Amino acid sequence: MTNVHQDDNRTVAQLEEEGDIAADYIEELLDICDLDGDIDIDARNGRAYISVNAGDGANLNVLSKSETVSALQELTRLAVQTKTGVFSRLILDIGGSRDARRDELAALVGRAVERLEGGATEAALPPMSSYERKLVHDLVSERGFHSESRGEGAERHTVITRGA
């Protein structure tokens, strides 16, 4: 069984290899879909980041919806894992979808903070991926509040409070 945390100490070279494998997989997908896109690879914070941006005349809107990007990210992670034998934590962005989702999450956190400032003892957010929960935890911390993840599996969500 592959150790899920095995990649926590991955070298930049290993992350770049992961990025190259992922980029090849995404490039094949774009070819199948007859879409054009420029692929950028970056390795930082122990993860490979793959960004697909619109080339001239490209229409990435069909792939840039949050649910679609999440599904493609999981498929890409599986493709990388199949070739490397190591669990992948790569992050896929298509057409700026990750920045758009971060903005949506920031607005969600803002509304939750307003509820807390209005007297609520806690504010629960809907279930989301571990990456999105990490973004939420960072956003909440920036605002001076406390957050924790609760629940299991697909029901795992973030709860925001005034602090411990």
Side-chain angles (χ1 to χ4, degrees), residues 41-57:
I41 305 168
D42 191 16
R44 63 183 188 276
N45 303 325
R47 293 180 189 249
Y49 287 78
I50 309 300
S51 298
V52 182
N53 299 299
D56 292 336

Side-chain angles (χ1 to χ4, degrees), residues 45-163:
N45 303 325
R47 293 180 189 249
Y49 287 78
I50 309 300
S51 298
V52 182
N53 299 299
D56 292 336
N59 180 8
L60 292 178
N61 292 343
V62 68
L63 296 180
S64 65
K65 292 181 177 69
S66 181
E67 299 83 14
T68 304
V69 174
S70 292
L72 290 174
Q73 177 176 279
E74 290 307 311
L75 290 172
T76 305
R77 286 176 171 180
L78 287 172
V80 169
Q81 183 175 340
T82 298
K83 289 212 176 194
T84 65
V86 178
F87 177 80
S88 172
R89 292 177 39 212
L90 77 85
I91 300 298
L92 176 64
D93 178 58
I94 299 178
S97 61
R98 292 289 174 191
D99 288 339
R101 183 61 177 152
R102 180 177 165 76
D103 292 346
E104 290 172 10
L105 293 172
L108 196 63
V109 167
R111 289 191 298 274
V113 166
E114 286 174 8
R115 290 195 306 268
L116 292 171
E117 290 173 339
T121 56
E122 64 180 32
L125 302 182
M128 56 188 70
S129 71
S130 60
Y131 177 75
E132 290 176 333
R133 287 193 314 275
K134 163 81 169 90
L135 290 176
V136 166
H137 291 307
D138 291 345
L139 290 164
V140 168
S141 177
E142 289 170 10
R143 304 229 12 202
F145 288 81
H146 174 77
S147 62
E148 64 182 43
S149 294
R150 294 184 189 164
E152 298 295 326
E155 295 303 312
R156 194 136 173 94
H157 62 282
T158 306
V159 176
I160 303 169
T161 59
R162 287 199 167 272

